[in-house]
C-alpha cells in the first residue's frame, strides 16, 4: 500500500514538473493550434511571406494577437470562413514576446538552408 | 646672381617669355583638365553601357531565381537546398538586411544601388514584392571580365594623346596671336630708333669736335663750368648714340677679333668718363693687373663703356666707382642705388629701365649681354639696394 502511494506521489511530481517544463509557446500556442488543419510551420511561412523580416514579423504578430481582425489576418478567406478569427489574447506583452521569440527560433529559415 | 646665357634681346624678351610661360601653363592645365573630364565622362558612359547590357541579362536571371525561391518557400522545410545556377552566384537578404543565405564571393553589398561593380564582380540587387523565405533582396553576382575597361583605357589614351597634341598646336598658334601686339610695338620702336639714329650723327659730332677745339685758357671760370656741363651732356648723348648705332647698324658687321690689352683700354675709357664722374664728385678706384682678351675692340668698348657709364649714372654723389682687373676676370663696382634682387634677371632685357629718374632707352645692358653671350663671357650681378652693385665678368 505504501509502495503504491509512493509510486502515485512520484508520478504526480513528474507530471507536475513536465507541465512546468512546457514553455510559453508550448503552453499557450501549440495546444490551440493542434485543432487547426494548417500547421504552425505553414503559418510561419505565411507570415514570413508577408512580413519578410524578424522584427517586422514579430511586431505584426504581436499586434494581431492583441487586436485580431479579419482584415489583417494573413490566412486565406476560406480558412477564416471555416475557423474564424482567434480570440483576443489574454497573455501579457512579456509572455507574447517570449512565445514569439520561441516561435521564430523554431521555424526560422536562416541557418536551415544548405 | 649669375645671369644665364640668352639671345633674348633678338628673339623673346624675358618679360615676353614670362607672359608666354604663364599663358602656356594656364592653357596646358586647362587642356589637361578638359581631357581628364572628357575621359572620365567617357569611362563612366562605357561603364554604364556595360552595366545596362548586364542589367538585361541579370533581370532575366533574377526572374528565374525568384521562381525557384517561390517553389522552395512552399516546400520548406521538406526541401532546404538553396537553388544554384552555374551562370551566376546569388544571395538572399531579408527586409532588415539580415543575410538568409549567400553563395556570393564578394559579400560587400550596396542595397541602395540596383547594379554596380565591386572588386571584379558585378552585383545586381533585385527587390522582391513577395518575401519568399523572408527574402526582400535577391542579389545576383557575375564576374566582371574587365574587357570593356581595357578597351576604354586604350581609347582614352589614344584619343587623349591626339587631342592633347591638337590642343598644344592650337595653343602655340594662340600664343603667337597673343604675343603679336607686343612684338609689333617692339618692331615699331626699333624702326623709330634706327631712323632717328641717322639724324643724330652730324650734330653730335659737331658738338664734340667744337668742345675739343675750344680754348679753355681764355675762358672765364663761369664759362668753363658751362663748357664742362655741355661736354658731359654731349658725352652722355654720345654713349647713347654709339649704343643705338651698334644696335641698328654695326651689330651685323663682321667681327675683327684681336688680342686687347684690357688695362690700356680701361685707362682710356676711364679718362673719357672722368668728366662725368667728377660732375658727381665720385672717387675712382682702379685696381688693374695686366690682362688680355681676344675680342672685337669695338664690341668690348661698348661693354666697358656701358658698365662704367651705368656705375657713374646710378651712383650717389660722393660715391665710389671701382674697377678691378685680373687675368680672366673684370669687376666694375659702385656704391650706388643698387637693384632689387628679383629684378636682376630682367635688367638685361631691351628697353628695361628700373629707374626713370635717369635718361636712356634701356639699351645698354641689353647690348652688353648680347656681346658677352657671343663671346661666352659670363656675367654675375651682385647688388644690394642703396649699397651698390658689382658686375663680375669672367672668361
Amino acid at each position: 500500500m505504501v509502495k503504491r502511494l509512493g509510486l502515485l506521489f512520484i508520478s504526480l511530481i513528474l507530471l507536475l514538473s513536465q507541465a512546468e517544463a512546457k514553455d510559453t509557446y508550448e503552453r499557450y500556442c501549440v495546444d490551440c493550434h493542434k485543432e487547426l488543419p494548417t500547421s504552425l510551420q505553414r503559418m510561419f511561412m505565411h507570415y514570413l511571406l508577408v512580413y519578410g523580416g524578424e522584427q517586422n514579423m514579430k511586431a505584426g504578430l504581436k499586434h494581431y494577437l492583441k487586436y485580431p481582425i479579419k482584415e489583417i489576418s494573413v490566412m486565406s478567406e476560406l480558412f477564416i470562413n471555416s475557423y474564424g478569427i482567434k480570440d483576443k489574447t489574454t497573455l501579457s506583452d512579456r509572455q507574447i514576446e517570449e512565445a514569439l521569440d520561441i516561435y521564430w527560433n523554431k521555424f526560422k529559415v536562416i541557418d536551415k538552408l544548405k | 646672381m649669375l645671369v644665364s646665357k640668352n639671345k633674348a634681346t633678338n628673339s623673346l624678351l624675358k618679360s615676353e617669355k614670362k607672359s608666354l610661360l604663364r599663358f602656356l601653363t594656364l592653357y596646358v592645365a586647362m587642356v589637361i583638365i578638359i581631357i581628364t573630364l572628357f575621359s572620365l565622362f567617357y569611362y563612366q558612359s562605357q561603364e554604364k553601357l556595360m552595366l545596362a547590357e548586364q542589367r538585361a541579362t541579370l533581370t532575366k536571371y533574377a526572374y528565374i531565381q525568384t521562381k525557384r525561391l517561390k517553389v522552395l518557400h512552399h516546400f520548406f522545410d521538406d526541401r532546404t537546398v538553396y537553388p544554384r545556377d552555374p551562370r551566376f552566384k546569388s544571395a538572399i537578404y531579408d527586409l532588415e538586411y539580415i543575410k538568409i543565405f549567400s553563395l556570393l564571393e564578394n559579400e560587400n553589398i550596396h542595397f541602395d544601388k540596383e547594379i554596380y561593380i565591386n572588386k571584379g564582380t558585378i552585383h545586381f540587387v533585385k527587390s522582391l514584392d513577395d518575401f519568399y523565405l523572408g527574402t526582400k533582396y535577391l542579389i545576383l553576382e557575375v564576374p566582371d571580365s574587365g574587357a570593356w575597361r581595357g578597351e576604354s583605357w586604350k581609347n582614352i589614351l589614344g584619343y587623349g594623346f591626339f587631342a592633347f597634341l591638337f590642343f598644344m598646336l592650337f595653343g602655340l598658334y594662340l600664343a603667337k596671336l597673343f604675343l603679336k601686339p607686343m612684338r609689333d610695338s617692339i618692331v615699331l620702336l626699333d624702326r623709330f630708333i634706327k631712323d632717328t639714329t641717322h639724324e643724330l650723327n652730324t650734330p653730335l659730332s659737331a658738338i664734340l669736335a667744337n668742345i675739343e677745339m675750344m680754348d679753355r685758357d681764355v675762358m672765364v671760370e663761369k664759362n668753363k663750368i658751362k663748357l664742362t656741363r655741355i661736354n658731359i651732356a654731349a658725352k652722355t648723348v654720345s654713349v647713347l648714340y654709339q649704343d643705338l648705332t651698334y644696335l641698328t647698324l654695326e651689330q651685323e658687321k663682321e667681327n675683327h677679333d684681336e688680342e686687347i690689352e684690357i688695362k690700356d683700354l680701361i685707362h682710356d675709357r676711364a679718362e673719357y668718363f672722368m668728366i662725368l664722374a667728377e660732375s658727381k664728385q665720385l672717387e675712382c678706384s682702379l685696381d688693374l693687373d695686366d690682362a688680355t682678351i681676344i675680342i672685337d675692340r669695338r664690341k668690348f668698348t661698348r661693354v666697358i663703356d656701358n658698365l662704367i657709364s651705368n656705375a657713374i649714372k646710378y651712383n650717389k654723389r660722393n660715391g665710389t666707382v671701382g674697377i678691378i682687373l685680373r687675368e680672366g676676370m673684370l669687376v666694375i663696382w659702385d656704391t650706388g642705388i643698387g637693384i632689387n634682387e628679383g629684378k636682376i634677371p630682367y635688367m638685361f632685357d631691351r628697353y628695361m629701365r628700373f629707374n626713370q629718374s635717369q635718361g636712356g632707352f634701356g639699351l645698354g645692358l641689353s647690348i652688353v649681354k648680347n656681346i658677352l653671350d657671343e663671346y661666352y663671357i659670363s656675367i654675375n650681378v651682385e647688388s644690394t639696394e642703396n649699397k651698390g652693385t658689382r658686375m663680375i665678368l669672367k672668361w
Side-chain angles (χ1 to χ4, degrees):
Chain A
M1 182 66 184
V2 178
K3 257 186 185 176
R4 275 187 182 174
L5 275 172
L7 276 171
L8 197 70
F9 182 69
I10 289 164
S11 306
L12 200 68
I13 285 172
L14 278 172
L15 205 68
L16 281 171
S17 66
Q18 257 185 337
E20 275 297 308
K22 274 189 179 176
D23 56 34
T24 320
Y25 166 74
E26 294 275 346
R27 203 179 312 146
Y28 300 114
C29 307
V30 176
D31 282 349
C32 297
H33 275 270
K34 264 185 203 163
E35 314 296 328
L36 298 173
T38 307
S39 69
L40 275 164
Q41 159 78 40
R42 285 316 323 153
M43 281 192 175
F44 181 89
M45 295 311 281
H46 272 299
Y47 278 110
L48 201 56
L49 189 67
V50 173
Y51 291 110
E54 183 182 355
Q55 299 310 319
N56 205 25
M57 178 174 154
K58 282 178 180 173
L61 259 171
K62 186 178 174 183
H63 179 79
Y64 181 73
L65 290 174
K66 287 169 82 172
Y67 312 103
I69 53 169
K70 188 181 172 183
E71 286 71 22
I72 58 168
S73 171
V74 297
M75 298 310 286
S76 67
E77 191 85 16
L78 185 68
F79 182 89
I80 292 168
N81 288 340
S82 306
Y83 301 98
I85 298 292
K86 74 176 284 302
D87 293 333
K88 196 175 175 179
T89 187
T90 54
L91 298 177
S92 67
D93 276 3
R94 197 186 59 78
Q95 283 174 314
I96 294 172
E97 281 159 16
E98 198 181 316
L100 286 174
D101 285 344
I102 297 165
Y103 186 46
W104 172 264
N105 288 328
K106 196 172 174 65
F107 296 111
K108 68 180 177 182
V109 176
I110 298 168
D111 299 334
K112 285 186 182 160
L113 287 171
K114 290 178 275 183
Chain B
M1 179 178 284
L2 186 68
V3 181
S4 61
K5 269 187 190 352
N6 73 69
K7 298 281 182 190
T9 46
N10 280 333
S11 51
L12 284 176
L13 294 179
K14 270 217 169 63
S15 52
E16 279 181 315
K17 271 188 176 175
K18 201 174 169 185
S19 301
L20 187 64
L21 200 71
R22 277 182 187 165
F23 167 76
L24 283 178
T25 309
L26 199 71
Y27 183 79
V28 168
M30 216 172 70
V31 165
I32 289 173
I33 288 170
I34 288 172
I35 291 178
T36 308
L37 283 176
F38 267 104
S39 303
L40 202 70
F41 175 74
Y42 173 74
Y43 185 86
Q44 281 179 341
S45 66
Q46 287 301 104
E47 188 182 270
K48 274 183 189 163
L49 192 72
M50 183 277 296
L51 287 177
E53 284 169 9
Q54 287 287 347
R55 183 186 285 115
T57 313
L58 290 170
T59 305
K60 191 176 74 186
Y61 292 165
Y63 176 77
I64 296 166
Q65 190 69 358
T66 308
K67 292 282 171 208
R68 289 169 180 161
L69 290 176
K70 185 178 178 181
V71 173
L72 186 63
H73 180 92
H74 288 295
F75 290 97
F76 195 80
D77 64 352
D78 295 334
R79 296 180 195 173
T80 55
V81 179
Y82 182 80
R84 285 158 171 81
D85 195 305
R87 294 170 294 182
F88 58 87
K89 290 191 168 68
S90 66
I92 50 176
Y93 280 74
D94 72 9
L95 197 65
E96 291 142 18
Y97 307 109
I98 307 289
K99 182 168 73 180
I100 302 169
F101 188 78
S102 174
L103 292 168
L104 300 183
E105 282 180 6
N106 178 4
E107 295 283 355
N108 186 12
I109 298 159
H110 304 294
F111 291 97
D112 54 332
K113 293 178 185 168
E114 190 192 7
I115 189 162
Y116 57 89
I117 300 170
N118 194 345
K119 293 175 187 166
T121 57
I122 298 167
H123 279 177
F124 177 71
V125 181
K126 172 81 178 166
S127 178
L128 303 188
D129 296 327
D130 293 319
F131 307 142
Y132 301 119
L133 300 168
T135 305
K136 170 64 181 169
Y137 300 104
L138 168 65
I139 293 100
L140 301 187
E141 182 185 272
V142 287
D144 173 23
S145 69
W148 67 275
R149 195 177 286 118
E151 189 65 26
S152 301
W153 274 115
K154 213 167 77 181
N155 287 339
I156 286 170
L157 291 175
Y159 290 116
F161 175 73
F162 282 114
F164 185 76
L165 216 63
F166 170 76
F167 278 118
M168 282 302 100
L169 291 173
F170 186 64
L172 283 176
Y173 173 70
L174 276 183
K176 272 191 175 178
L177 282 183
F178 177 69
L179 286 176
K180 198 171 181 299
M182 205 190 287
R183 188 131 287 283
D184 284 350
S185 55
I186 288 172
V187 169
L188 197 71
L189 194 58
D190 274 352
R191 199 175 298 152
F192 169 75
I193 289 169
K194 199 171 183 176
D195 294 345
T196 50
T197 305
H198 288 291
E199 307 304 322
L200 280 174
N201 188 18
T202 316
L204 194 60
S205 304
I207 293 167
L208 284 170
N210 282 295
I211 289 169
E212 292 301 320
M213 284 189 295
M214 274 183 174
D215 188 358
R216 298 167 77 95
D217 297 336
V218 295
M219 281 184 188
V220 291
E221 198 56 34
K222 205 175 166 186
N223 284 343
K224 274 186 188 172
I225 294 169
K226 282 178 183 170
L227 186 66
T228 307
R229 282 183 193 151
I230 294 167
N231 199 6
I232 291 166
K235 281 188 172 170
T236 308
V237 177
S238 175
V239 171
L240 182 61
Y241 168 75
Q242 281 164 29
D243 279 349
L244 290 172
T245 311
Y246 172 81
L247 207 64
T248 55
L249 304 170
E250 295 183 11
Q251 195 179 16
E252 304 305 324
K253 277 188 186 170
E254 201 180 326
N255 289 340
H256 297 287
D257 293 348
E258 56 182 304
E259 192 173 61
I260 296 170
E261 288 289 341
I262 305 173
K263 194 175 174 180
D264 296 341
L265 183 68
I266 288 173
H267 274 302
D268 181 37
R269 299 321 294 163
E271 196 180 327
Y272 180 79
F273 286 107
M274 194 53 77
I275 198 156
L276 262 77
E278 280 171 357
S279 72
K280 279 186 134 178
Q281 278 104 48
L282 298 179
E283 193 184 314
C284 290
S285 160
L286 298 181
D287 175 11
L288 308 176
D289 286 356
D290 287 321
T292 55
I293 186 169
I294 297 170
I295 195 167
D296 186 302
R297 178 176 289 276
R298 184 175 41 94
K299 289 188 172 178
F300 197 60
T301 307
R302 294 269 32 82
V303 172
I304 302 287
D305 276 11
N306 273 301
L307 294 180
I308 296 176
S309 162
N310 279 352
I312 295 170
K313 209 193 294 182
Y314 299 108
N315 215 321
K316 294 171 191 162
R317 197 163 279 276
N318 298 317
T320 310
V321 174
I323 304 175
I324 303 164
L325 176 66
R326 300 284 180 268
E327 191 60 66
M329 185 179 82
L330 173 68
V331 182
I332 297 174
W333 59 272
D334 63 69
T335 54
I337 54 173
I339 184 169
N340 185 295
E341 199 178 332
K343 291 177 178 173
I344 291 175
Y346 307 104
M347 66 192 285
F348 294 96
D349 281 356
R350 189 190 288 190
Y351 308 128
M352 188 56 78
R353 288 172 58 220
F354 298 120
N355 190 327
Q356 306 298 328
S357 66
Q358 299 294 329
F361 287 99
L363 296 171
L365 286 179
S366 162
I367 292 169
V368 168
K369 190 70 175 75
N370 213 350
I371 296 167
L372 295 181
D373 282 351
E374 189 182 343
Y375 285 93
Y376 300 100
I377 299 168
S378 74
I379 179 161
N380 194 15
V381 182
E382 293 173 1
S383 188
T384 312
E385 276 188 289
N386 295 318
K387 280 198 169 176
T389 305
R390 285 168 72 87
M391 297 282 201
I392 304 155
L393 275 61
K394 284 183 182 170
W395 59 91

